[in-house]
Amino acid sequence: MSDDYRSIPGTTVFDAKQSRLGYHLNMFCMSLMQAQNREAFKADEAAYLDRWPMTAQQKASVLARDWNGMIALGGNIYFTSKIAATDGLSFQQIAAKMSGVSQEDYA
């Protein structure tokens, strides 16, 4: 199978390789579906992230809310949106941030 799609400018395709790269990042994101985990994360984000065997880059991208960085490091947008929801942000708001435009312009 060819992965010529990797050369599409500005696009990260979530394929099996990206899935393996971001497995622990995505499992952290899914943990935020439980209220007690959201509370623990909000209380001390760095300490909560240390529970997960993510790379330093992945943890830094979460702390910085670098949405595009998380995607590049194997994050799946549907999983990383759990962080946004924990922050009280809508999917549209993070999509606008990822696109570099205002929410109004994105809409």
Side-chain angles (χ1 to χ4, degrees), residues 11-53:
T11 301
T12 302
V13 177
F14 190 79
D15 59 5
K17 185 176 182 178
Q18 283 297 104
S19 177
R20 286 187 296 278
L21 176 66
Y23 178 79
H24 296 294
L25 169 60
N26 292 317
M27 292 304 97
F28 147 71
C29 292
M30 291 303 292
S31 78
L32 298 177
M33 292 182 67
Q34 297 180 357
Q36 69 269 21
N37 293 336
R38 290 190 299 273
E39 291 169 15
F41 177 63
K42 290 193 280 187
D44 189 339
E45 292 185 3
Y48 189 81
L49 288 174
D50 284 341
R51 298 180 187 182
W52 301 90

Side-chain angles (χ1 to χ4, degrees), residues 1-106:
M1 174 183 215
S2 172
D3 60 352
D4 291 336
Y5 57 81
R6 290 191 178 279
S7 65
I8 302 169
T11 301
T12 302
V13 177
F14 190 79
D15 59 5
K17 185 176 182 178
Q18 283 297 104
S19 177
R20 286 187 296 278
L21 176 66
Y23 178 79
H24 296 294
L25 169 60
N26 292 317
M27 292 304 97
F28 147 71
C29 292
M30 291 303 292
S31 78
L32 298 177
M33 292 182 67
Q34 297 180 357
Q36 69 269 21
N37 293 336
R38 290 190 299 273
E39 291 169 15
F41 177 63
K42 290 193 280 187
D44 189 339
E45 292 185 3
Y48 189 81
L49 288 174
D50 284 341
R51 298 180 187 182
W52 301 90
M54 292 187 278
T55 68
Q57 285 180 306
Q58 288 171 327
K59 290 177 184 180
S61 69
V62 171
L63 293 172
R65 300 308 194 267
D66 177 1
W67 306 105
N68 288 323
M70 286 184 250
I71 299 300
L73 295 168
N76 179 292
I77 189 63
Y78 297 107
F79 294 159
T80 58
S81 67
K82 307 296 186 234
I83 303 168
T86 298
D87 290 345
L89 299 173
S90 70
F91 196 90
Q92 186 180 75
Q93 287 172 303
I94 64 167
K97 290 176 185 290
M98 293 173 76
S99 301
V101 299
S102 71
Q103 182 182 349
E104 295 76 25
D105 286 344
Y106 183 82

